[in-house]
Amino acid sequence: MPGYALQRLAQAIIVMMVISVMVFAGVHAVGNPIDVLISPDATQAIREQAIRAYGLDQPLWRQYLDFLGRLARGDFGRSFLYNMPVLDLIASRLPATLELTLAAVIGATALGVPLGIYAGYRPSSILSRAIMAASILGFSVPTFWIGLVLIFVFAVNLGWLPAGGRGATVSVLGVEWSFLTLDGLRHLLLPALNLSLFKFAMMVRLARAGTRELMLTDTIKFARAAGESEWTILSRHVLRLIAIPIVTVFGLEFGSTLAFAVVTETIFSWPGVGKLIIDSISSLDRPVMVAYLMLVALLFIVINLLVDLAYAALDPRLRAQHA
Amino acid sequence: MTGEAPLSAFWLEFRRNRVALAALGVVATVLLVALLAPLIAPQDPYDLSRLRLTDARRPPGFIGSGGYVHWLGTDAQGRDLLSAILYGLRISIQMGLIAGAIAFTIGATLGAFAAFRGGWVEALIMRVVDLQLSFPAILLALVLAALLGQGKWQLIAALVAAQYAYFARTAHGAASAERAKDYVEAALSTPLPTPRVVMRHILPNCLPPLIVVATVQVANSIALEATLSFLGLGLPVSEPSLGMLIANGFQFMLSGRYWISIYPGLALIILIVAINLVGDQIRDQLNPRLRR
């Protein structure tokens, strides 16, 4: 087992290195950031000074080695556009994205699991069919279009909720949070709803499939024979038994929800990391792009590593193979 | 299924699901309408000499200076929205089909090759594929579209890179199963070259699961292309797909001119949902576990 863990860790590090080279080389292929940074009618002297200041005069491999060296020291460079350390910039935007993502994933689970259990418990009722139809729509309809419709209906037409922005925030331990103020909650509702639809559809399907299978098992027959009420059976036995795959997916999907937040944040002008990366792509803010991509890659590699190790620990066949 | 005519038996079973049949009808109609767009669209939306700014941003049903009714209204340039949607569908479908076909070819070849070659080549290819599958396709496409720059072929490359892994995984699974069968052993023992055995004997037997993946992935690439175009990372302005029409209308949404964004979106959704419904039915029919 320790050997297997070490082997996977080494693989993860190699993958991370390969990604860092690809990201770095790719980002440098996009375009010359100096054209964006200074006005076209700046003098040649100013231009050269700026190129030197940002290290753009060095050969690519040299820039890459410098970049690796800085990474090792936890320094991702300075944003060209905001003129502040990239790590600070991302850290300042992260709470907004985390708050949005968590609200979406928790909301999707809290609503999707009970509805899915119901759809699995009474598969042929009209309500179950409606729930399943909604989940097909949640899978098929592009997130960004749903976002537009939500803005049009609730912000423009009805005027109940704001169309964008984060609203008032409260500072807790030096971090700004929206969900602690009423105004912030009002701003959070639409984007969170938008982001949660896909996860909601998935939770419904998972819970329904699990419940349908479970209802046919001996566990449920014995529980019924013991005279337990249907409510007890569903809330005690079914919920507990379908919880394992749901928790797994919950963890895995958290990462992909962070990625999807790019779209939602752009539509609702939510000042999170996703909006930051879209803005930095359009303005060729290289250090921000590189740092964001590296952090996301790291996040996914760590999640994958943990999943692999957890499976290895849980599956005796894998354990024997690497003993 | 009868042995003689599997295709017609397949069709007979498909016909029994009315929802899937209706969805297939919708897909066929949309394809036909998109193909015939230049003939049936009321206006050539990209002939600048025909556009009048006085017709701009009019609601559905407005009778424009051209003398005909704009059933779905007009956009910011005074373009008939129905015509713009028909032309947009052409571009969106074209992107989905091209990206899907290339991803299919690359992915299926890679998966079958890996299954056949075995050893460290298989391990390396499938490790890369699995790693890619764990990344969200949208993020991958977003990054690539940003890195490669704007353009039709750059976008197709981004879509292919984000989707080939699904085909590779499926082809690898199917080809591994086929490989163990006796007929493959028999074919390999003849002096036929191995690539020929793979192409002629193994791949055709792996087709059913690949076709299911292909339907879903074409729908996915259409949605992905629309999302990228909406974010401004997709097609250039000269190729206005549905995603770009939606993006162009977004700024007018706040002033209540919903139709510029909503109708292209509806067209997109009808197409995607219909393709997915057809794909679901094909999947159910090909799934041996659901057969009695």
Side-chain angles (χ1 to χ4, degrees):
Chain A
M1 185 63 197
Y4 177 67
L6 272 182
Q7 185 199 335
R8 296 312 318 274
L9 191 67
Q11 273 185 16
I13 292 173
I14 294 173
V15 170
M16 203 60 215
M17 289 302 288
V18 173
I19 291 178
S20 78
V21 174
M22 279 174 11
V23 165
F24 189 80
V27 166
H28 280 258
V30 182
N32 193 351
I34 206 72
D35 297 333
V36 185
L37 282 171
I38 49 181
S39 80
D41 37 73
T43 65
Q44 196 60 26
I46 294 179
R47 203 181 151 83
E48 268 161 24
Q49 194 191 347
I51 289 177
R52 257 199 311 282
Y54 289 109
L56 296 167
D57 54 341
Q58 305 285 338
L60 261 191
W61 63 269
R62 183 79 238 180
Q63 288 188 39
Y64 175 69
L65 285 186
D66 287 348
F67 165 71
L68 273 192
R70 285 196 305 271
L71 279 198
R73 279 176 271 131
D75 172 12
F76 278 89
R78 295 177 80 81
S79 157
F80 294 161
L81 209 63
Y82 298 89
N83 197 24
M84 66 189 280
V86 171
L87 221 49
D88 293 355
L89 183 62
I90 290 183
S92 73
R93 300 290 192 93
L94 203 56
T97 299
L98 279 182
E99 174 174 84
L100 177 62
T101 312
L102 273 178
V105 178
I106 292 174
T109 314
L111 206 65
V113 172
L115 287 178
I117 292 180
Y118 178 78
Y121 178 68
R122 292 238 178 283
S124 48
S125 83
I126 294 179
L127 182 61
S128 299
R129 279 162 201 264
I131 293 170
M132 289 319 286
S135 88
I136 289 179
L137 278 183
F139 266 123
S140 302
V141 180
T143 309
F144 72 95
W145 192 75
I146 294 277
L148 296 187
V149 174
L150 287 177
I151 290 184
F152 179 69
V153 173
F154 293 103
V156 178
N157 243 4
L158 298 174
W160 290 350
L161 294 163
R166 212 180 158 195
T169 54
V170 173
S171 182
V172 178
L173 301 172
V175 180
E176 304 285 325
W177 300 101
S178 287
F179 74 99
L180 296 171
T181 67
L182 193 64
D183 185 49
L185 272 182
R186 276 163 42 87
H187 282 80
L188 182 61
L189 190 60
L190 282 186
L193 182 64
N194 182 219
L195 191 57
S196 70
L197 281 173
F198 190 82
K199 305 296 148 195
F200 167 77
M202 203 160 69
M203 287 298 173
V204 165
R205 292 193 152 215
L206 268 177
R208 173 177 180 265
T211 308
R212 275 192 85 171
E213 273 178 27
L214 270 177
M215 292 313 288
L216 303 172
T217 58
D218 292 341
T219 317
I220 303 302
K221 279 189 201 133
F222 280 122
R224 280 195 177 137
E228 290 186 20
S229 73
E230 294 292 293
W231 171 251
T232 321
I233 291 176
L234 286 181
S235 60
R236 281 274 180 78
H237 304 291
V238 173
L239 183 62
R240 200 168 292 173
L241 284 168
I242 63 170
I244 300 159
I246 287 177
V247 170
T248 315
V249 170
F250 185 99
L252 283 177
E253 285 300 311
F254 186 68
S256 77
T257 312
L258 276 178
F260 265 100
V262 170
V263 178
T264 300
E265 285 179 9
T266 307
I267 300 169
F268 290 92
S269 320
W270 187 261
V273 187
K275 182 141 176 30
L276 179 68
I277 183 67
I278 293 289
D279 291 347
S280 72
I281 285 174
S282 55
S283 60
L284 294 180
D285 198 348
R286 278 187 202 166
V288 179
M289 289 164 73
V290 171
Y292 174 84
L293 295 178
M294 294 299 294
L295 290 177
V296 170
L298 185 68
L299 177 75
F300 276 95
I301 286 172
V302 168
I303 290 178
N304 273 319
L305 187 66
L306 292 179
V307 170
D308 278 356
L309 292 181
Y311 282 172
L314 294 174
D315 190 333
R317 279 167 305 177
L318 273 175
R319 224 168 15 202
Q321 207 178 325
H322 299 279
Chain B
M1 245 187 245
T2 55
E4 300 158 42
L7 263 185
S8 69
F10 191 87
W11 170 238
L12 273 178
E13 195 184 337
F14 190 95
R15 250 185 8 188
R16 253 180 271 147
N17 183 338
R18 292 223 191 108
V19 177
L21 195 64
L24 186 67
V26 171
V27 174
T29 313
V30 172
L31 282 179
L32 194 70
V33 160
L35 201 67
L36 300 178
L39 298 176
I40 53 177
Q43 180 195 47
D44 176 357
Y46 300 101
D47 178 1
L48 291 178
S49 63
R50 296 280 205 81
L51 301 182
R52 299 275 176 281
L53 273 179
T54 46
D55 292 347
R57 299 190 290 278
R58 298 295 188 161
F62 170 76
I63 299 173
S65 52
Y68 53 84
V69 185
H70 295 291
W71 291 108
L72 300 183
T74 61
D75 75 359
Q77 273 83 45
R79 201 169 273 145
D80 177 47
L81 207 57
L82 178 63
S83 311
I85 289 175
L86 292 179
Y87 276 75
L89 269 175
R90 261 164 95 88
I91 296 168
S92 291
I93 292 173
Q94 192 195 355
M95 296 297 291
L97 286 180
I98 295 178
I102 299 178
F104 186 113
T105 315
I106 295 179
T109 314
L110 213 57
F113 175 74
F116 227 75
R117 197 51 206 277
W120 67 270
V121 176
E122 179 182 25
L124 182 72
I125 292 180
M126 294 327 285
R127 193 81 205 130
V128 170
V129 165
D130 281 345
L131 194 78
Q132 237 196 289
L133 284 178
S134 68
F135 277 64
I138 173 110
L139 200 65
L140 207 67
L142 191 85
V143 169
L144 278 170
L147 294 183
L148 298 173
Q150 252 191 358
K152 187 173 165 186
W153 290 102
Q154 283 91 326
L155 185 61
I156 287 177
L159 293 176
V160 168
Q163 308 212 291
Y164 85 93
Y166 295 92
F167 291 99
R169 205 32 25 276
T170 311
H172 177 258
S176 298
E178 288 301 311
R179 220 208 124 145
K181 292 186 181 166
D182 287 342
Y183 81 92
V184 177
E185 212 52 52
L188 283 177
S189 64
T190 63
L192 290 173
T194 309
R196 190 186 146 94
V197 175
V198 175
M199 295 305 282
R200 291 291 300 269
H201 299 280
I202 297 183
L203 267 186
N205 281 311
C206 303
L207 271 184
L210 282 173
I211 290 172
V212 175
V213 176
T215 24
V216 177
Q217 289 306 323
V218 167
N220 276 354
S221 25
I222 292 175
L224 207 54
E225 183 275 317
T227 306
L228 291 177
S229 288
F230 176 78
L231 291 175
L233 296 167
L235 289 165
V237 192
S238 55
E239 307 252 5
S241 70
L242 291 177
M244 194 176 296
L245 293 180
I246 298 170
N248 290 342
F250 183 33
Q251 49 181 317
F252 302 109
M253 192 85 119
L254 293 179
S255 53
R257 298 188 175 90
Y258 64 92
W259 58 91
I260 311 179
S261 267
I262 296 290
Y263 289 133
L266 275 180
L268 185 70
I269 286 164
I270 290 171
L271 178 62
I272 294 173
V273 172
I275 297 178
N276 278 338
L277 285 173
V278 172
D280 264 3
Q281 174 65 18
I282 299 179
R283 188 206 326 262
D284 286 353
Q285 273 184 246
L286 292 175
N287 188 348
R289 266 187 284 176
L290 292 179
R291 303 217 149 267
R292 287 136 325 251

